[in-house]
Amino acid sequence: MRFRVLDEPFRRTTVFDRRIAVVPAAADDSSAAFVREPAAVDTLVSAFLRDWERAERVRWEDLGQRDGLTVHQQIGQLLAEGLTQRAVAGRLG
């Protein structure tokens, strides 16, 4: 698994086999829509790839362990607590 941190908000999107995308269908993410139109899925994939390239790679080797947790566990815990990606990156260095 690879993580990158983007210093701006983004919408959650999941793409399966570059054929079907699941996107939020409500502002509060309480429902989702399935997108099967190839041109629309390609556009979503392109947007993700653009954001991925702009995002900062998490340098695991520089982070080490804190509080007896691996970096993966720390990130998961902080995200589960509701921190944003920016806040997690700031907290972990």
Side-chain angles (χ1 to χ4, degrees):
M1 186 178 301
R2 293 179 283 174
F3 289 93
R4 290 194 178 199
V5 179
L6 187 60
D7 191 18
E8 60 191 63
F10 60 91
R11 297 292 298 188
R12 293 181 178 163
T13 302
T14 305
V15 178
F16 298 95
D17 298 328
R18 292 185 182 238
R19 293 187 345 213
I20 298 173
V22 182
V23 298
D28 64 356
D29 295 334
S30 62
S31 62
F34 290 83
V35 178
R36 292 182 178 89
E37 170 57 42
V41 173
D42 286 345
T43 299
L44 292 167
V45 169
S46 294
F48 168 80
L49 292 173
R50 182 198 65 224
D51 289 347
W52 180 261
E53 289 301 318
R54 290 182 17 246
E56 182 179 339
R57 184 175 67 90
V58 175
R59 301 188 187 286
W60 303 111
E61 61 278 0
D62 296 341
L63 296 176
Q65 287 191 340
R66 298 179 186 175
D67 302 326
L69 299 174
T70 67
V71 175
H72 290 86
Q73 291 169 326
Q74 291 176 57
I75 289 172
Q77 182 178 7
L78 293 171
L79 290 173
E81 291 174 9
L83 272 69
T84 63
Q85 288 187 9
R86 183 178 192 174
V88 171
R91 195 172 286 187
L92 295 179

